[in-house]
Amino acid sequence: MTRTAHRRKTFGRGWRLLVGTAVVILLVWRLGPHELFTALTALSPFVLILAVMIACVPPVLHAWRWCRLLAISGRRVSILDALRVTVAASVANYALPAFGWAPAKVVVTQRWLGIQATSSVLTVLVEHALDMIVLLFLGLTGLVALGVPVKVMTISLPGNAFGLSAVLLAGVLGTPVVVLAIFRWGRRLVLVGARHGYQIMRTLWRDPIIWIATTGRWSVEFVLLALLTWASGLHLSTAAILALLGVPGLVGLFAPVPGGLGVREATGVVLATALGMSAVGVGAVLTWQRLAVLAGLAVVGVGSSLVRRHPQ
């Protein structure tokens, strides 16, 4: 990479991070620094420790699901190696724009595990599409349950309507990821990876591990958010928590800001204001949610490295 290209790349990351920082500052100013600080300090240390412990579970389930996707495609890795790659890609997400963790995960997989992009690209695209489907489902379910008029086009499909709808939705939501993958690795490489990944698509919808890991991960995310809202004194319904989990998460995925920094929190605050919730309370809860997730990633990353270096 030339010095000019390196400078451009650094500048691109810098302005995106600057945008995220500006959103955070604007959000703090809008909510009121004193009010937000009071809401943030309302949680007890015990609750925060418990939140970090809960936040350690989703990365493990995420890595477990990816292990299964790789196994289906004919590549087997240990859960510890999968954890290392998953944590690295998740952390890299805070230095890259939207969908940036996808190429980061493929690159790290090739460098650390020796698995070529032709074997890992499709697994990354599939897991990303699955998570987008879940977030969309959670957000729409919460909004509909809250009485928000959400117009959803439905079509009558023969046979397994849910399965066919999920496949179609995965295709729609996964399109930006596929486009990025083609831009990053080239059309030929992606097409080869797709052919090698036929086994994944053929067995994905009936594999219990994929669904257990996916459902388990987002169930734990829901429990984490519910714990923080309860500890903050916010009396939110299950529907409200589902909306706050799904809508900001989905918006954050598409935001051209590293890790959706500030965007997810701002989306949650706007949603809370529109639905008559405490904007300051929701802002504090979403802030603690992000910090707990980052702490959980750190704990899992350090723990997996220690276990790998000192096996029993």
Side-chain angles (χ1 to χ4, degrees), residues 138-160:
L138 294 177
L140 288 178
T141 300
L143 291 177
V144 171
L146 290 171
V148 177
V150 180
K151 296 181 179 180
V152 181
M153 294 181 62
T154 58
I155 57 176
S156 178
L157 296 173
N160 186 358

Side-chain angles (χ1 to χ4, degrees), residues 189-238:
L189 181 59
V190 173
L191 292 178
V192 171
R195 287 197 295 270
H196 288 176
Y198 171 72
Q199 186 68 22
I200 295 179
M201 303 308 297
R202 191 176 69 174
T203 60
L204 173 66
W205 307 108
R206 62 174 182 267
D207 189 275
I209 293 180
I210 300 298
W211 292 110
I212 292 173
T214 302
T215 305
R217 176 194 174 183
W218 290 106
S219 296
V220 174
E221 296 276 8
F222 174 84
V223 171
L224 173 62
L225 188 57
L227 170 67
L228 293 174
T229 55
W230 169 80
S232 298
L234 298 178
H235 301 288
L236 302 183
S237 63
T238 300

